[in-house]
Amino acid sequence: MTQIIDTDVLVAGSGGTGLAAAYSAVQNGAKVTVIEKQGQIGGNTKISSGFFAINSQEQRDAGLKLSTKEAISQIAEYNHYLSNGALLSKIVNTSADTLAWIEQMGMEIKLNPTANTTQFAHRGNDYRGGSYHMYQNKDNSYHRIEKTLKDAGIKFIFNTTMKDLIVDNGQVKGATAEKDGELLTINAKAVVVATGGYGGDFARVSKTMHTNKLRRLGVPNNGEGMTAMVKAGGVDIDSHALIHASQLAKSTVTQNTSAKHLAGFSSNPLTQLLLTPQLWVNKKGVRFANEDVVYDTVEWANAAWSQGGEYFFIVDQSTLDTFTNNKNEEEVSEAGPGATKDGGDFTELAKEAVAGKTAFVGQSLDELAENAGLDQDTFSKTIAKYNQEVAEKNDQEFSKSAKSLLYPVKNGPFYAFIAQATYLGTVGGVRVDENLAVLDKDLNPIPGLYTGGANAGGYYEGHSYPAFEGLASGFTWTSGRIAGASAAEYAIGA
Ligand SMILES: Cc1cc2nc3c(=O)[nH]c(=O)nc-3n(C[C@H](O)[C@H](O)[C@H](O)COP(=O)(O)OP(=O)(O)OC[C@H]3O[C@@H](n4cnc5c(N)ncnc54)[C@H](O)[C@@H]3O)c2cc1C
């Protein structure tokens, strides 16, 4: 039997976008129903660390003089003006106000000092690092937010998956959903689809990103909302995986490799080698980037993606000994989210990685190349050139800093570890206007349809996530808030 529910505004999904949309719609006088696939609120937003905002009270109190004008122009330039300027401007200009608004909802949040940024490349950069406001005591914060919303009269239906939109004569009039095998029809005057992209659908992500080598993190958002919006006439202009840092490869050979935390972002000391600017080569043995990008999660992931999402970092026995003896002088990046500073027997760890087939070893460079499937001649030329650059402290190819040209690759055995770019769900999506109305192919709003967060297109460059901390999570709340107000206005003429 199909259950039928009537509401003014239906919000599908209760991550940051859905929560903000629901609260702003109810504040604007609408009757609001939220359906959520999982048994709890939060989605990927609850896993995320922080919120990009410019000119917040805390920034002013800290003496930071940040202008939204400058932030907008920096992001637009980063995006090569491919993003929707009107949307970008509205989001950045309302970010500080939205931050204060979510604090009133119950979120505890604190400005992160630029000096403490996990992305060393952003140290001292107030626009890229000083914009980061970090969520505190998340369980308590989300508990308070849920209470605020329920007290405001918002009805939540959990464990309920939106399936499709109800479209009548070009107008969106609700959605169908499924709860415990039963169908629900939710009639609504306006719908905000806040289902957070499709990061849980690995096949779809692999198709968009042209590789199946990415590692993934996040809740299983499978893209029903995005698919339904496209079916209703929306245009997916720029959805893509939010690639962010790289991880050690996960062994498919031995469960122990994972159990011992040799894979993924882990506290295993081996991660220190991943998070320092060792020599990187692609699957052919060609060096491809200034390895100092390891200090910025976005640039690092982008460099990895440029080679198909996977690369090797190369170390010799002397480098392993240096790390084992706690004599490493390279700064260990905390990007993504960092390694333990504890010591360890790096040779033993390397051997375990080899046993798990997430690394290869060779007594000679040729043997390593053969075992790792690299082109021997190319690899040997790469190593010779790199060793010369280390000796001269001068990277003629990629301008790696002299202080990172520390470890030549000279004394066997030699190791190649597999690293894989990682993604945190998807971002981008269907084209929207600055009110978060979903537009059809002729750029006309589809009546009754709104979205935001990881379903909305036009805030990013297309395939690269801008290297400003907290941008996606901040966009989520701010776009959701605008979408909720727009939906309420459409639904009840508030
Ligand atoms: C591990 C991780 C760390 C991150 N860290 C940061 C960070 O520090 N800073 C930053 O800016 N960004 C970060 N991001 C990205 C950012 O969190 C997301 O882009 C953003 O939270 C997306 O918000 P959203 O509301 O659109 O989606 P979500 O927060 O994912 O919410 C979507 C909700 O919809 C529900 N849902 C899905 N499908 C359906 C359906 N069919 N029907 C009903 N409900 C459905 C989901 O269960 C979920 O609750 C991170 C992402 C991850 C995964």
Side-chain angles (χ1 to χ4, degrees):
M1 210 181 71
T2 305
Q3 195 188 338
I4 298 179
I5 295 166
D6 295 309
T7 190
D8 290 335
V9 173
L10 169 66
V11 177
S14 67
T17 310
L19 294 169
Y23 194 46
S24 97
V26 91
Q27 285 187 324
N28 281 282
K31 181 178 157 194
V32 180
T33 302
V34 177
I35 53 171
E36 165 56 52
K37 182 180 185 176
Q38 304 209 64
Q40 58 175 13
I41 63 166
N44 280 329
T45 314
K46 190 172 172 189
I47 309 173
S48 74
S49 310
F51 185 123
F52 172 94
I54 295 291
N55 205 17
S56 69
Q57 187 61 49
E58 259 203 283
Q59 285 167 328
R60 292 198 297 271
D61 292 347
L64 295 178
K65 292 197 170 52
L66 298 176
S67 95
T68 54
K69 251 169 54 182
E70 175 63 21
I72 291 161
S73 110
Q74 284 195 20
I75 298 172
E77 265 182 43
Y78 185 104
N79 287 341
H80 298 113
Y81 293 88
L82 288 164
S83 50
N84 175 348
L87 177 69
L88 169 64
S89 168
K90 189 159 177 179
I91 296 293
V92 174
N93 276 316
T94 46
S95 57
D97 192 54
T98 303
L99 186 83
W101 182 75
I102 67 165
E103 281 184 287
Q104 284 164 16
M105 278 165 84
M107 181 67 83
E108 195 187 333
I109 195 159
K110 245 193 198 139
L111 182 65
N112 190 45
T114 318
N116 284 356
T117 176
T118 58
Q119 305 203 39
F120 298 172
H122 299 180
R123 275 184 189 160
N125 183 329
D126 290 340
Y127 286 92
R128 292 196 168 192
S131 53
Y132 208 25
H133 300 72
M134 297 188 77
Y135 309 122
Q136 311 288 315
N137 301 311
K138 287 197 257 181
D139 278 342
N140 290 339
S141 286
Y142 279 85
H143 188 71
R144 281 192 298 270
I145 289 173
E146 186 169 347
K147 183 168 179 335
T148 304
L149 268 60
K150 283 182 172 165
D151 288 350
I154 294 165
K155 182 175 175 197
F156 284 87
I157 313 176
F158 288 105
N159 302 307
T160 302
T161 303
M162 175 193 152
K163 290 289 175 196
D164 205 351
L165 290 162
I166 300 169
V167 186
D168 179 10
N169 214 8
Q171 226 173 318
V172 172
K173 295 206 163 162
T176 54
E178 194 180 304
K179 181 180 171 64
D180 306 325
E182 297 224 347
L183 282 182
L184 263 69
T185 294
I186 304 137
N187 298 314
K189 294 173 189 148
V191 179
V192 182
V193 181
T195 47
Y198 55 86
D201 183 342
F202 190 62
R204 190 164 172 181
V205 170
S206 299
K207 197 166 170 212
T208 313
M209 299 302 288
H210 310 286
T211 173
N212 62 2
K213 300 294 183 196
L214 303 177
R215 300 216 54 204
R216 57 184 148 162
L217 288 172
V219 302
N221 297 339
N222 290 335
E224 300 90 351
M226 187 91 78
T227 302
M229 289 192 289
V230 170
K231 195 173 146 202
V235 184
D236 179 357
I237 51 169
D238 60 4
S239 71
H240 62 283
L242 193 179
I243 52 173
H244 174 99
S246 297
Q247 294 189 347
L248 298 174
K250 183 168 177 172
S251 173
T252 50
V253 175
T254 157
Q255 295 284 327
N256 287 342
T257 310
S258 295
K260 287 179 183 167
H261 305 298
L262 287 179
F265 291 133
S266 79
S267 57
N268 190 287
L270 195 61
T271 314
Q272 290 176 27
L273 294 173
L274 172 82
L275 288 160
T276 41
Q278 308 304 330
L279 166 65
W280 297 349
V281 300
N282 68 12
K283 300 304 283 283
K284 296 285 173 213
V286 177
R287 189 169 169 233
F288 59 90
N290 172 351
E291 294 88 350
D292 279 333
V293 293
V294 75
Y295 297 124
D296 181 299
T297 50
V298 172
E299 291 171 1
W300 176 18
N302 285 355
W305 184 74
S306 77
Q307 307 301 313
E310 194 172 64
Y311 67 91
F312 290 118
F313 57 90
I314 310 292
V315 294
D316 70 357
Q317 186 59 49
S318 301
T319 302
L320 290 180
D321 293 343
T322 301
F323 276 77
T324 301
N325 297 330
N326 221 4
K327 293 265 173 15
N328 168 45
E329 289 175 13
E330 290 170 341
E331 193 161 21
V332 180
S333 173
E334 287 170 9
T340 177
K341 304 226 167 24
D342 293 348
D345 184 334
F346 283 75
T347 305
E348 279 311 305
L349 291 168
K351 285 180 181 165
E352 282 180 37
V354 171
K357 295 216 184 302
T358 59
F360 300 91
V361 64
Q363 297 307 315
S364 65
L365 288 168
D366 277 357
E367 192 184 35
L368 175 60
E370 190 178 340
N371 290 341
L374 302 167
D375 181 78
Q376 279 183 354
D377 191 39
T378 307
F379 186 54
S380 118
K381 283 187 183 135
T382 298
I383 299 290
K385 188 156 203 298
Y386 185 71
N387 284 345
Q388 189 189 345
E389 288 167 340
V390 171
E392 292 170 358
K393 295 262 183 246
N394 180 14
D395 175 8
Q396 290 167 2
E397 289 172 292
F398 300 111
S399 306
K400 180 165 164 172
S401 66
K403 72 178 167 38
S404 296
L405 288 164
L406 269 188
Y407 303 130
V409 180
K410 278 191 169 158
N411 301 311
F414 303 97
Y415 291 85
F417 295 84
I418 306 167
Q420 291 178 298
T422 305
Y423 75 91
L424 309 178
T426 60
V427 287
V430 292
R431 185 185 271 127
V432 292
D433 66 12
E434 66 279 15
N435 300 317
L436 279 300
V438 178
L439 305 181
D440 68 14
K441 65 176 176 24
D442 298 319
L443 273 64
N444 294 317
I446 298 171
L449 185 57
Y450 300 85
T451 192
N455 278 343
Y459 194 57
Y460 308 101
E461 173 260 353
H463 272 81
S464 175
Y465 176 65
F468 294 76
E469 292 177 43
L471 208 69
S473 205
F475 177 64
T476 281
W477 294 101
T478 311
S479 64
R481 183 185 180 198
I482 298 168
S486 305
E489 185 176 350
Y490 177 84
I492 59 166

